[in-house]
Amino acid sequence: MRFFHLSDLHIGKQLHEYSLFSDQEYILRQILTKAEEYEPDAVLICGDIYDKTVPAGEAYEIFDRFLMGLSGLHIPVLIIAGNHDSPKRLSYASSFLEKHQIFISTMPPRSEDEYLKKITLSDSYGPVNFYLLPFTKPAYVRHLFSEGQVFDYDSGIRELLNRETIDENQRNVILSHQFYQASDWMTKTCDSEQVILSVGGTDRVDAALLRSFDYAALGHLHGSQRVKFPGIRYCGSPLKYSISEEHHKKSITLVTLKEKGCPAEIEEISLSPLRDVKTLRGKLEEILNLSTDENRHNFVSVLLTDDIDPIRPKEKLCQAFDFLLDYRIDNQRTRSILTEQEHAFDYLTPIEAFCAFYEEIHKIPLTEEQRITIEQMMEKVKEDEE
């Protein structure tokens, strides 16, 4: 059995102030073309379909056209919700969609008699069971277990999987949208994921929990990568959603499962964006000379190295490039300013540092009453530590 593994479409996302609707529609049409060429037995979409819980109308239309295209190719589609998706909105008309082989799971089991949605497809080697595990917070499932049994993301996923009766003599695939790591293995993250590592790392899930599956199709991280074990993979996002993804090679992950016991075969099918994301570094005149037909339509972030600050750099850069994300100046003057700022903060007391932070965020200083309250809280923390 062969299937496409996709995730993190983030339809409706902006790159700085620029809309990506045309870029996203372009890449989804490209995926449809690849689906027509490779004829996969299924397409898996592992969460974060939309970028916001309340997507714009155009975002719905773009995804609807994509699903219609896959349906026209008679390819089953399996979808789970990610942390950016609204379960209620994503599950709308799901019963109707199942009649067209589009299967959606937006929430984990919520009652004792409910289990993970399982879709079974077959090929010449027999059945393949696909288990759909949407993004799960501990609070979603804690009521299903004894008190204290679920206390973080890892224990929540572990207990959910322990409830399932999985026939390990058959081929099994799981779709999941979480932040997986493994012992002695750090997954690679980037700015656009906005992964919030909670205190104590409670949002991390041990990838070893998925080892009994023949393949684990993961969503949440935007870089294509395995998580220690070859059959546990993030496919990555189909587009670059931040400068930190500049060097990513965006692709479709094509997975082939043969008979039980054979490792999953992985192939990455390259995708070509409508516009690329680039960082350009050099003196202003050097950067302006890079404004060729090949470069001027990309999303660009510029680092200027002129010894003397150039005149009206943003105006000139915007004339040279259609999609300027930002620009910064890196020379002796700016480095000196940064060094001075670092030294200034080195000598701040904790209360001074908090006051400076508060004023930077709120644009007004703390009142005397607020300052006294913060001092009392800090003293209490210090006493508790002692």
Side-chain angles (χ1 to χ4, degrees), residues 13-20 299 318 322-325:
K13 187 175 180 63
Q14 290 188 319
L15 186 53
H16 290 228
E17 74 271 22
Y18 299 111
S19 169
L20 295 177
F299 297 104
C318 286
D322 295 337
F323 302 96
L324 176 67
L325 299 178

Side-chain angles (χ1 to χ4, degrees), residues 28-94:
L28 291 177
R29 284 200 302 266
Q30 196 172 136
I31 293 171
L32 285 174
T33 300
K34 298 295 184 183
E36 190 171 9
E37 177 184 350
Y38 284 83
E39 299 181 336
D41 298 300
V43 171
L44 282 50
I45 308 178
C46 300
D48 283 356
I49 312 305
Y50 301 110
D51 190 58
K52 299 186 186 313
T53 54
V54 185
E58 191 171 351
Y60 285 116
E61 292 171 2
I62 288 172
F63 190 52
D64 179 63
R65 286 192 288 270
F66 181 59
L67 290 182
M68 287 288 289
L70 291 174
S71 179
L73 296 172
H74 307 289
I75 300 173
V77 183
L78 284 60
I79 301 170
I80 61 171
N83 57 301
H84 280 251
D85 296 311
S86 163
K88 287 186 178 180
R89 288 182 171 83
L90 190 59
S91 64
Y92 176 74
S94 57

Side-chain angles (χ1 to χ4, degrees), residues 114-293:
E114 188 180 359
Y115 295 87
L116 296 181
K117 178 174 280 191
K118 183 176 80 170
I119 307 300
T120 301
L121 304 175
S122 297
D123 63 6
S124 58
Y125 294 107
V128 178
N129 303 308
F130 294 86
Y131 289 86
L132 277 57
L133 174 56
F135 177 70
T136 299
K137 293 182 178 181
Y140 293 173
V141 298
R142 190 174 287 129
H143 64 282
L144 298 176
F145 305 99
S146 302
E147 185 174 353
Q149 200 170 349
V150 171
F151 52 89
D152 61 6
Y153 284 76
D154 184 85
S155 58
I157 299 300
R158 177 183 288 106
E159 297 304 330
L160 274 181
L161 294 177
N162 286 341
R163 294 175 77 244
E164 300 294 321
T165 303
I166 298 174
D167 185 350
E168 295 192 9
N169 294 314
Q170 296 184 351
R171 292 169 296 166
N172 300 294
V173 175
I174 188 168
L175 288 69
S176 182
H177 189 98
Q178 305 286 157
F179 181 44
Y180 285 96
Q181 287 192 334
S183 58
D184 303 320
W185 188 277
M186 296 290 289
T187 41
K188 299 174 183 177
T189 63
C190 53
D191 296 343
S192 56
E193 291 142 10
Q194 299 179 342
V195 176
I196 301 174
L197 301 181
S198 47
V199 176
T202 55
D203 54 353
R204 298 176 183 177
V205 181
D206 186 357
L209 297 178
L210 308 178
R211 291 198 68 185
S212 62
F213 291 92
D214 296 271
Y215 184 75
L218 306 182
H220 195 34
L221 302 187
H222 292 183
S224 175
Q225 59 190 294
R226 66 186 177 96
V227 187
K228 189 172 184 177
F229 312 104
I232 302 177
R233 291 190 64 85
Y234 287 101
C235 61
S237 58
L239 285 173
K240 299 175 183 179
Y241 287 130
S242 72
I243 287 294
S244 64
E245 298 176 49
E246 177 185 4
H247 301 296
H248 284 192
K249 304 296 184 184
K250 299 302 185 180
S251 62
I252 302 164
T253 299
L254 174 63
V255 182
T256 302
L257 291 182
K258 294 185 178 178
E259 59 187 321
K260 180 69 178 182
C262 292
E265 297 177 5
I266 310 297
E267 179 184 349
E268 294 190 348
I269 303 169
S270 296
L271 292 171
S272 300
L274 179 63
R275 288 176 276 260
D276 206 350
V277 176
K278 297 285 187 180
T279 299
L280 304 178
R281 179 188 176 98
K283 297 183 186 302
L284 179 59
E285 286 306 315
E286 295 170 345
I287 299 298
L288 296 177
N289 288 334
L290 295 175
S291 178
T292 62
D293 288 340

